[in-house]
Amino acid sequence: MYGCAGHTQSKKDLAAEYQSQVQILRPSIHARRANLTVKFQDLYGFAVEGNVDDVNVLNEVAEKARKKSKVWWAFEASKGPTWYLETRVSAAKLKLSALGNAIALKRLIRKGIPPALRPTVWFSLSGAAKKKSTVPDSYYDDLIAAVHGKVTPATKQIDHDLPRTFPGHPWLDTEEGHAALRRVLVGYSFRDSEVGYCQGLNYVAALLLLVMKTEEEAFWMLAVLLENVLVNDCYTNNLSGCHVEQRVFKDLFTKNCPRVASHLQALEFDVSLVSTEWFLCLFSKSLPSETTLRVWDVLFYEGAKVLFHVALAIFKMNEEELLLTHHVGDVINIIQRSTHHLFDPDDLITVAFEKIGFMATTNISKQRKKQESAVMADLDRRFRRLQPLNGTEE
């Protein structure tokens, strides 16, 4: 399942493969009689622990995915296999058919792209296919060959992080999995030396490998993510882009969740204690795999503002319980427990886009620009404070 062979299967074959992989989870009779923890593997091979209710939710999610697949196949049958590529609406020449497709596609994506179709749809809609088309076909292979054996601070950190990336996974935590993930990360560190490698990218690239099935496509998905989908400088040395996103998120948090924001401020709880990892790992370390991928479905189509929607939704869903907390540790426990058991992506996506107010991309861009100068000033002050210490050490 997790090999790196090229895409030779037809879409019907992929659909059949997916259907065979989706197992109906049946906890033991002892687990049914008592609220015991049951263990199993999800569709992407991750070990999952939950109670019987969690198993029932996952079975319902699997059934919903089957129904969604039928909707996608119906669109392909009526509109053609690449209908979703004809959704760009030109201001100069408005086509009602394209507008209709765009509206239908946005709704479909928010309801979830079928796992069997994810590699194809992501690669096309994210811009990864277009980015790949601008270079020779041998670009990835040539890059990997050119950097083989080279040692940099980035490669050293990558080697250190490989065994810590989803340990225990049946493919990622093997020599083959480590080698594939290393090639993708090292290759990108040489493609963009300004980014190089930042902790957090290992989890993102690992999940991309599981979804895309091939190293090369995972590499290009990582490239389009860092170069086009997310804001600049999120993964550079000083993480300035991430600091900007955190400041914008805090403002949005105060506006959209005023009661819990006020309560957490009284507890002296900084939301970045949990949200920084969400933004750097794109929720891959926090949410169950299918829930994370449902977030990514929307992220690759609608852009980085999706991260704000989802982060706000997590706090919104836990608002009443958070308002009863008295300690910072209790806040962290509630958030971690709730995210780890968010097995039904629909619950999260519904809150994120129906209960969180509309956020225009232009307004978020303005807030980012407003925060950039403050972040750079803070980073400059931090650098100046560290200079005397560095000088003393020398």
Side-chain angles (χ1 to χ4, degrees), residues 24 27 79 130 137 152 166 220 245 260 271 275:
I24 299 300
K79 297 176 180 290
K130 183 178 180 180
D137 290 341
T152 67
F166 299 125
W220 286 112
E245 295 294 83
V260 71
V271 292
S275 61

Side-chain angles (χ1 to χ4, degrees), residues 110-380:
R110 287 189 178 183
K111 289 180 179 178
I113 300 172
L117 281 176
R118 268 196 185 113
T120 305
V121 178
W122 278 11
F123 204 65
S124 299
L125 289 181
S126 67
K130 183 178 180 180
K131 187 177 285 290
K132 180 180 181 294
S133 71
T134 63
V135 297
D137 290 341
S138 61
Y139 177 92
Y140 179 71
D141 291 336
D142 293 343
L143 175 63
I144 298 306
V147 305
H148 179 70
K150 292 188 176 181
V151 178
T152 67
T155 64
K156 291 179 181 178
Q157 187 62 53
I158 290 168
D159 288 335
H160 181 67
D161 287 346
L162 287 175
R164 303 192 300 178
T165 307
F166 299 125
H169 188 277
W171 182 73
L172 287 171
D173 197 11
T174 63
E175 286 188 17
E176 182 187 0
H178 287 174
L181 180 57
R182 187 183 193 279
R183 285 189 291 269
V184 171
L185 292 171
V186 169
Y188 192 80
S189 76
F190 280 90
R191 172 181 168 87
D192 188 343
S193 57
E194 190 173 340
V195 169
Y197 170 74
C198 174
Q199 288 176 304
L201 290 179
N202 51 322
Y203 295 100
V204 174
L207 203 47
L208 286 173
L209 270 172
L210 295 183
V211 175
M212 303 307 295
K213 307 289 181 68
T214 75
E215 285 180 36
E216 186 171 10
E217 291 198 352
F219 170 85
W220 286 112
M221 288 301 299
L222 184 63
V224 80
L225 186 63
L226 299 183
E227 296 165 16
N228 300 95
V229 177
L230 301 177
V231 298
N232 294 331
D233 301 326
C234 272
Y235 296 95
T236 50
N237 284 337
N238 62 8
L239 298 177
S240 59
C242 184
H243 290 304
V244 169
E245 295 294 83
Q246 290 306 304
R247 283 173 175 258
V248 173
F249 174 62
K250 288 177 184 178
D251 288 344
L252 292 170
F253 180 56
T254 301
K255 177 182 177 183
N256 288 274
C257 306
R259 286 200 307 155
V260 71
S262 177
H263 178 71
L264 297 185
Q265 186 177 10
L267 293 180
E268 297 184 346
F269 177 81
D270 188 340
V271 292
S272 65
L273 286 173
V274 292
S275 61
T276 298
E277 180 183 278
W278 294 345
F279 280 71
L280 284 176
C281 299
L282 307 182
F283 298 98
S284 60
K285 281 186 69 180
S286 308
L287 298 173
S289 63
E290 180 60 20
T291 306
T292 299
L293 298 178
R294 283 284 302 278
V295 172
W296 288 15
D297 286 345
V298 191
L299 174 67
F300 284 124
Y301 186 60
E302 298 188 34
K305 72 173 185 177
V306 168
L307 301 179
F308 296 118
H309 278 275
V310 175
L312 290 170
I314 291 172
F315 279 100
K316 197 77 171 176
M317 294 171 77
N318 293 283
E319 185 168 17
E320 296 307 320
E321 193 174 359
L322 289 171
L323 288 172
L324 299 176
T325 56
H326 300 286
H327 305 285
V328 168
D330 296 334
V331 176
I332 294 175
N333 288 337
I334 290 169
I335 294 296
Q336 289 183 341
R337 185 180 69 248
S338 67
T339 53
H340 290 164
H341 289 82
L342 256 173
F343 292 113
D344 190 344
D346 287 339
D347 290 345
L348 178 62
I349 298 299
T350 298
V351 176
F353 295 103
E354 293 183 15
K355 295 189 178 180
I356 301 298
F358 173 74
M359 289 185 274
T361 302
T362 52
N363 290 339
I364 291 177
S365 297
K366 289 177 182 177
Q367 291 183 59
R368 285 176 177 141
K369 286 189 176 295
K370 179 182 175 182
Q371 297 292 352
E372 278 175 6
S373 57
V375 165
M376 296 312 295
D378 280 352
L379 292 173
D380 184 60

